[in-house]
Amino acid sequence: DGGITQSPKYLFRKEGQNVTLSCEQNLNHDAMYWYRQDPGQGLRLIYYSQIVNDFQKGDIAEGYSVSREKKESFPLTVTSAQKNPTAFYLCASSIGTGSSPLHFGNGTRLTVT
Amino acid sequence: GENVEQHPSTLSVQEGDSAVIKCTYSDSASNYFPWYKQELGKGPQLIIDIRSNVGEKKDQRIAVTLNKTAKHFSLHITETQPEDSAVYFCAASSGGFKTIFGAGTRLFVKA
């Protein structure tokens, strides 16, 4: 079954620590994305990658970093510089441009105390 | 910047009734309008989409309409069932890699 796997489902960290969220896809999609979801708000784009070794900032990239060393993998690091990191993080992929449907993973809920 | 407004934020219907969710977009270059359904604790899943060269699209109990002049598109669910209860997101894209999402509508279908 093709899909996107995000791990872990729940993550707890102390303030001041960096944390990395995993995202793996076996859909053979070129494009991958990270979104942040907060209660009562739509999804906001953090970073996206059109192809291996390339990524672009989204609307709320401050305090986050990514890498795209393999087509299948697009990990997100939430750094200590992110002022309000507690949120639900969603990884997605698509065949091509924004005119293609997004395929989402089941998310990672990060809680920072 | 680009914006998508979605209404209502919460919708409660009786099983078997219809549900309508409305969205308005600001970017006139938008040409792709997907709708996603998100169940509790899961990621959103595409349920239907429409492109700007089409005014209406239907898939069984779900239909979407698009009015490009008014920059308005809507999701219609007929004969609602309890399993339709979820959060629904509309979105708009102009063909690049950025998709703008509405804030979501929480739909409750009462049995």
Side-chain angles (χ1 to χ4, degrees):
Chain A
D1 248 358
I4 295 187
T5 301
Q6 289 189 244
S7 61
K9 191 168 179 65
Y10 299 97
L11 195 51
F12 298 88
R13 280 295 182 270
K14 294 289 187 186
E15 203 172 301
Q17 292 179 334
N18 291 356
V19 59
T20 297
L21 282 60
S22 169
C23 177
E24 303 279 331
Q25 57 104 353
N26 60 5
L27 298 167
N28 200 32
H29 286 171
D30 285 319
M32 295 188 74
Y33 312 77
W34 275 103
Y35 286 90
R36 171 178 171 139
Q37 185 175 23
D38 294 287
Q41 297 190 38
L43 283 64
R44 292 183 292 167
L45 182 64
I46 304 172
Y47 267 98
Y48 66 96
S49 168
Q50 301 176 44
I51 200 168
V52 173
N53 292 323
D54 179 71
F55 48 83
Q56 307 293 330
K57 290 182 180 180
D59 299 317
I60 56 165
E62 186 175 348
Y64 300 98
S65 66
V66 293
S67 63
R68 186 86 186 276
E69 297 176 2
K70 297 188 299 182
K71 187 175 185 177
E72 303 79 23
S73 179
F74 191 40
L76 173 75
T77 296
V78 184
T79 75
S80 56
Q82 167 50 231
K83 294 190 187 338
N84 186 17
T86 294
F88 189 53
Y89 290 89
L90 287 160
C91 179
S93 70
S94 68
I95 287 177
T97 70
S99 295
S100 304
L102 293 169
H103 298 255
F104 286 91
N106 282 329
T108 291
R109 186 166 298 281
L110 172 65
T111 303
V112 177
T113 56
Chain B
E2 297 93 342
N3 184 48
V4 174
E5 290 190 4
Q6 182 172 349
H7 300 280
S9 56
T10 306
L11 180 59
S12 184
V13 300
Q14 205 66 37
E15 183 179 0
D17 287 350
S18 294
V20 180
I21 302 171
K22 298 181 179 182
C23 291
T24 303
Y25 61 98
S26 61
D27 184 359
S28 55
S30 297
N31 56 17
Y32 177 63
F33 306 91
W35 286 86
Y36 294 89
K37 175 184 180 182
Q38 185 176 28
E39 297 177 345
L40 195 62
K42 294 189 175 181
Q45 281 200 311
L46 180 77
I47 54 171
I48 196 167
D49 56 9
I50 191 168
R51 299 186 189 275
S52 58
N53 57 348
V54 175
E56 185 173 356
K57 184 176 178 181
K58 191 173 180 181
D59 182 5
Q60 299 183 352
R61 295 186 298 108
I62 294 173
V64 59
T65 59
L66 172 64
N67 182 331
K68 284 205 71 180
T69 304
K71 296 184 190 172
H72 177 268
F73 58 116
S74 301
L75 178 72
H76 304 252
I77 306 174
T78 59
E79 300 172 21
T80 53
Q81 301 166 4
E83 50 265 39
D84 293 329
S85 296
V87 179
Y88 292 81
F89 291 96
C90 62
S93 169
S94 57
F97 284 88
K98 291 190 180 182
T99 298
I100 308 299
F101 286 84
T105 296
R106 187 172 295 275
L107 174 64
F108 296 97
V109 180
K110 296 176 287 187

